Amino acid sequence: MYAQMVTTDANRVRDISEMSDEERVFQERIDRGEKIEPTDWMPEGYRKTLIRQIGQHAHSEIVGQLPEGNWITRAPTLERKAILLAKVQDEAGHGLYLYCAAETLGVTRDELIELLHAGKMKYSSIFNYPTLTWADIGAVGWLVDGAAIMNQVPLQRTSFGPYSRAMVRICKEESFHQRQGFDIMMKMANGTPAQHRMAQDALNRFWYPSLMMFGPSDKDSVHSAQSMSWKIKINTNDELRQKFVDQTVPQAEFLGLTVPDDHLKWNEEKDGYDFSEPDWSEFFEVLKGNGPCNKERLDARIKAWDDGAWVRDGLMAHADKRAAARTAAE
Amino acid sequence: MMTQGDNIANDILFEWLLRRGDTALILGHRVSEWCGHSPALEEDIALANIALDLIGQSRLWLGYAGEVEDRGRGENELAYLRDTWDFRNILLAEQPNGDFGTTLMRQFLIDVWQDALLEALKTSADERIAEIAVKAGKEVAYHLDRSSDLVIRLGDGTPESHWRMQDALDTLWPYVGEMFAADAVDEAMAAAGLAPDPKMLKPGWEHTVAAVFKQATLTQPQSDFAHKGGLTGRHSEHLGHLLSEMQFLQRAYPGATW
């Protein structure tokens, strides 16, 4: 999940009898599975929550370029370099669709970027972990994109039209990324002893942070309940985490790698794995800014933005000159 | 049409192909260093796309070079297992990124040249060269559209964008001459009808850059001085650092497959 712990401004989900006429009509449209479009009436809470969620998702795509970009110049073959470049380019493209989707809700891309840089908006916790070896590029594709897909496939059915349509495009590309990541892991796991060691080390480091991507257990979360009634969240965090573990454990076995969880066990009764929870105190520390790379990631984005100011200003100034010249000619 | 080596010694063709492949590879590497750090999201996408095109072109040129050499080296052996003195890229391609203006100006100066070179190579007597030129030519035409447009807009933007673009042009100008310096390899290729004489590309190149600089309100430097050496393996200090990063995994884990 690229959006974690999105707040909704709601203390609880209101019953339909407590709603105004407009809200009731809106909720009924959602319940019928209709898409809400930008020009339609929508409750302020729905609009604000979507801005937070889509904005956080967009920021995650942009910041997510950094850990993978870290290995573009060191990719081990020209083919791997080309694949990784194409992947990071796709991620920037996803960021662009998502900022555009958010803009339909009345916020500009620049405003969202300023909120990110001011630390007032988040991006996914996963991108605050470092990519230390080439196997991490495999693990990011396999586990991180795998976890993202788990969440984004249902979001193709989300109630807000522009978000739903962006998800359809994004999911196609993410599936391709995940296959590429798994392909790197296969080569590494079946390669030399040093490569196998890198692959196992990558799994050891990325396993729990990947489980954290779904957010904490949401059985008590009123925000999740409100988001689910608005269909901007389709499954609970725990449902998706379970699905991810059930899908990923056999893949790790196929690779000959060991999932770093002594309590991992198949549970016949629930038809799924029992597994250890990640260390949630670590998760909350990362959200507070204390992950291994929080400072570097945000500093890199702020530096890119500040260093690029003269370029953006220059382009605007030129556009103004052209417009003035056209007006003068008329 | 003919196929490889019909009319030229393999070592000359190999040498010439390395110049094409290495220039695309090293420039592509430089451009890829921008990933995630550019001034706007649209530029992140454009720069990744350009780097991807250039890496793709280098694979075609180096793959063919390996076949011509016929010593069992493919694109990866050539890219990852040669030292600086065996690289044949132009010095301009390996110059550090600097600010966005320097990267853009470097791209523009090379795009104008590549565009003309690839156009001429479409009629090469060597089928493989002509095929690669057709594919790469489409990509470079787009790169040139973008870089010339941005040079104009930033040259004639704010006072700061103007001086940064002028500064980039002045800094990179001494590396321009190498693109048109012909040696025995180029002369043999031209004589065999495989490639244009680089000197012949210069008037068209000058015409295009002068037109763009005029619109961009930039002043073309007058000096004819040209740093040379890239095409014979005498590089700037920058290339060694670039290669030590690029080649790290292949060097640290010899024999592994990735």
Side-chain angles (χ1 to χ4, degrees), chain A residues 4-5 212 214-219 237-238 241 280 283-284:
Chain A
Q4 295 157 322
M5 302 192 67
M212 291 176 197
F214 300 98
S217 176
D218 54 7
K219 53 185 179 292
N237 297 348
D238 290 329
R241 190 166 17 248
W280 290 112
F283 173 73
F284 288 109

Side-chain angles (χ1 to χ4, degrees), chain A residues 13-20 23-25 27-28 31:
Chain A
V13 180
R14 292 191 302 161
D15 186 81
I16 204 131
S17 65
E18 300 170 84
M19 294 178 180
S20 69
E23 283 176 284
R24 196 161 46 244
V25 170
Q27 189 61 49
E28 283 165 358
D31 294 344

Side-chain angles (χ1 to χ4, degrees), chain A residues 82-313:
Chain A
I83 291 168
L84 185 56
L85 261 169
K87 180 182 176 193
V88 178
Q89 185 192 15
D90 284 348
E91 280 155 9
H94 298 171
L96 198 55
Y97 311 148
L98 288 163
Y99 284 125
C100 290
E103 283 186 326
T104 67
L105 292 160
V107 63
T108 68
R109 197 203 309 180
D110 286 3
E111 286 168 339
L112 291 171
I113 288 173
E114 278 167 24
L115 289 167
L116 171 71
H117 292 176
K120 291 179 182 159
M121 280 185 90
K122 300 284 184 210
Y123 52 89
S124 177
S125 58
I126 193 73
F127 300 117
N128 291 311
Y129 290 87
T131 51
L132 302 177
T133 73
W134 174 250
D136 289 10
I137 298 305
V140 167
W142 172 39
L143 301 174
V144 175
D145 291 328
I149 291 167
M150 222 28 111
N151 205 276
Q152 290 168 5
V153 165
L155 280 178
Q156 294 177 103
R157 294 181 280 115
T158 191
S159 61
F160 188 56
Y163 193 27
S164 154
R165 291 187 286 274
M167 277 306 148
V168 171
R169 293 185 65 169
I170 289 172
C171 281
K172 283 183 193 154
E173 294 178 346
E174 292 289 359
S175 315
F176 179 69
H177 298 168
Q178 199 208 5
R179 281 201 298 277
Q180 293 297 338
F182 192 73
D183 187 58
I184 292 177
M185 290 308 278
M186 285 221 289
K187 273 277 192 290
M188 300 295 284
N190 298 316
T192 65
Q195 285 175 304
H196 187 89
R197 185 178 157 206
M198 280 186 227
Q200 182 62 55
D201 182 58
L203 175 57
N204 293 349
R205 284 181 290 107
F206 276 95
W207 175 255
Y208 288 107
S210 299
L211 297 187
M212 291 176 197
M213 287 176 71
F214 300 98
S217 176
D218 54 7
K219 53 185 179 292
D220 305 318
S221 166
V222 66
H223 298 306
S224 276
Q226 178 62 73
S227 287
M228 288 176 82
S229 91
W230 280 334
K231 290 190 187 159
I232 56 183
K233 185 179 174 112
I234 311 290
N235 305 88
T236 71
N237 297 348
D238 290 329
E239 279 168 9
L240 292 170
R241 190 166 17 248
Q242 181 69 52
K243 215 172 152 195
F244 175 75
V245 171
D246 292 344
Q247 173 186 289
T248 309
V249 169
Q251 294 171 346
E253 284 168 359
F254 178 78
L255 291 168
L257 300 176
T258 308
V259 173
D261 179 357
D262 293 339
H263 302 293
L264 186 73
K265 203 172 85 231
W266 178 254
N267 180 333
E268 199 65 58
E269 205 174 311
K270 78 171 183 186
D271 195 29
Y273 285 92
D274 291 332
F275 58 93
S276 302
E277 289 280 306
D279 176 355
W280 290 112
S281 64
E282 176 182 317
F283 173 73
F284 288 109
E285 283 300 326
V286 173
L287 287 200
K288 272 195 279 177
N290 296 326
C293 297
N294 290 60
K295 183 161 164 45
E296 283 108 309
R297 300 289 186 246
L298 203 54
D299 284 355
R301 289 307 310 163
I302 292 170
K303 184 176 187 311
W305 186 249
D306 291 349
D307 288 355
W310 72 268
V311 177
R312 298 189 302 275
D313 292 347

Side-chain angles (χ1 to χ4, degrees), chain B residues 58-125:
Chain B
S58 78
R59 295 179 66 193
L60 297 173
W61 291 122
L62 293 178
Y64 186 27
E67 289 171 36
V68 168
E69 185 194 37
D70 198 22
R71 281 172 45 197
R73 293 200 288 183
E75 60 181 44
N76 288 319
E77 288 76 12
L78 289 170
Y80 289 94
L81 300 176
R82 282 179 299 152
D83 203 344
T84 49
W85 54 43
D86 288 328
F87 268 76
R88 296 292 183 257
N89 58 284
I90 56 171
L91 297 175
L92 182 53
E94 73 200 41
Q95 295 311 301
N97 284 340
D99 66 1
F100 184 79
T102 308
T103 292
L104 173 62
M105 185 57 76
R106 183 186 62 200
Q107 190 69 40
F108 170 67
L109 297 171
I110 296 179
D111 286 345
V112 182
W113 170 66
Q114 292 272 45
D115 187 58
L117 175 60
L118 292 167
E119 187 59 38
L121 291 176
K122 287 178 189 169
T123 55
S124 170

